[in-house]
Amino acid sequence: MSRRHLPYRRPVLATVAAFAVLAGTAAAAPAAPVAPRTTPVAATPLATLDDTYYQDALGKTGTQLKSALHSIISVQTKISYSQVWDALKNTDQDPANSSNVILLYTGRSEPKSDNGGAVGQWNREHVWAKSHGDFGTSTGPGTDIHHLRPEDVTVNSIRGNKDFDNGGTAVSGAAGNYTDSDSFEPRDAVKGDVARMILYMAVRYEGDDAFADLEPNDQVDNGSAPNIGRLSVLKQWSQEDPPDSFEERRNDVIFDQYQHNRNPFIDHPEWVEAIW
């Protein structure tokens, strides 16, 4: 892992978020696919979320903050794995072309309809690899769209269940991505996205809901253990690639239209360091 990049910087955009009423959200998957709204998500200032959604987490650090956030984000609506297809067509919509989605690792804009399992199509990438904790595609961590993203079928296969780290050789057809035998490095523009998705999963799934306690660690080659690394690198990526408008909109759409919970590290990136 000798290759290292110069730090990647983007301007920190003003953090905005959508607030939706949580009362009455169900724990079970809805019976029918969730239809996306055609009207834009109404953005709510972070201060409003802090006064409502995050009020029990403010002022805390370390394990107390992690526990408070777990209680907050565990209140969610769950969707089925088949419903993930339609959800991703909304959450990852190309801002410049509403008929397309943006693929996570390649950054390619691909028609929403071109999803499936064939070469050249896009499928559902589990950023927290589903074998790390053996949750598969079960409703819960296996269908949580905070860490599911559209990705090119071939590139998804190359990533497989590898941990995240810097280094490796270039991934063919996915400029800026690198891989070796035990790790995968995404392109600079989504390094922070990947880190915040992994850390969301570590806070949301704590072993109290029949699934494994998911935790990041500072190693690679974690196999089927409920761990993903490398934590020190993920923290660096989160700092170097702060949330952008695409990631913020995605968080809003998931909250407003699907799961009704949020990724707190998009709204408060400083909480990464406060916990880890």
Side-chain angles (χ1 to χ4, degrees):
M1 303 288 180
S2 60
R3 193 187 61 79
R4 292 293 185 272
H5 294 311
L6 292 174
Y8 174 82
R9 304 287 182 195
R10 285 196 305 219
V12 180
L13 302 178
T15 305
V16 293
F19 175 72
V21 178
L22 294 178
T25 56
V34 181
R37 297 188 334 185
T38 56
T39 55
V41 174
T44 301
L46 182 59
T48 301
L49 286 170
D50 284 349
D51 287 343
T52 53
Y53 190 70
Y54 291 123
Q55 61 181 337
D56 292 337
L58 299 182
K60 295 181 171 67
T61 59
T63 56
Q64 288 186 333
L65 175 57
K66 188 181 182 192
S67 178
L69 291 175
H70 172 69
S71 296
I72 292 167
I73 67 177
S74 294
V75 179
Q76 71 177 99
T77 297
K78 297 175 183 177
I79 67 174
S80 70
Y81 196 48
S82 62
Q83 290 171 325
V84 168
W85 286 119
D86 286 333
L88 295 184
K89 292 174 184 179
N90 188 12
T91 60
D92 291 75
Q93 180 173 291
D94 183 347
N97 184 347
S98 62
S99 297
N100 287 14
V101 292
I102 298 294
L103 308 188
L104 176 64
Y105 301 132
T106 65
R108 189 173 79 234
S109 180
E110 188 77 11
K112 292 178 178 179
S113 59
D114 196 19
N115 62 296
V119 172
Q121 291 185 313
W122 66 268
N123 60 5
R124 297 159 291 188
E125 153 73 335
H126 289 80
V127 177
W128 185 294
K130 56 184 182 287
S131 63
H132 289 232
D134 195 29
F135 53 76
T137 58
S138 300
T139 300
T143 65
D144 194 318
I145 50 178
H146 276 296
H147 86 116
L148 280 157
R149 300 289 292 266
E151 187 46 62
D152 176 84
V153 167
T154 301
V155 177
N156 193 348
S157 178
I158 291 171
R159 188 268 158 140
N161 69 346
K162 295 174 182 176
D163 294 82
F164 293 103
D165 198 2
N166 290 312
T169 58
V171 175
S172 178
N177 296 263
Y178 300 85
T179 192
D180 58 19
S181 62
D182 57 21
S183 71
F184 189 89
E185 177 183 351
R187 60 193 176 100
D188 287 344
V190 296
K191 279 184 164 69
D193 306 50
V194 166
R196 287 179 285 274
M197 285 186 280
I198 292 295
L199 299 179
Y200 160 86
M201 293 291 284
V203 172
R204 170 61 185 88
Y205 299 98
E206 292 278 42
D208 56 1
D209 53 3
F211 296 106
D213 180 6
L214 306 183
E215 293 295 337
N217 62 15
D218 210 32
Q219 64 187 57
V220 294
D221 203 15
N222 277 293
S224 62
N227 306 105
I228 279 186
R230 184 178 301 261
L231 177 57
S232 59
V233 172
L234 293 170
K235 289 172 61 178
Q236 176 188 353
W237 289 354
S238 183
Q239 289 181 340
E240 294 177 351
D241 174 36
D244 63 11
S245 59
F246 187 92
E247 193 179 1
E248 290 166 352
R249 176 194 174 274
R250 191 174 197 278
N251 199 24
D252 292 343
V253 171
I254 293 172
F255 181 50
D256 189 52
Q257 302 180 31
Y258 296 100
Q259 295 185 180
H260 310 297
N261 71 340
R262 302 186 68 82
N263 183 332
F265 304 110
I266 296 173
D267 296 322
H268 282 280
E270 72 277 8
W271 281 347
V272 172
E273 193 64 37
I275 294 175
W276 288 282

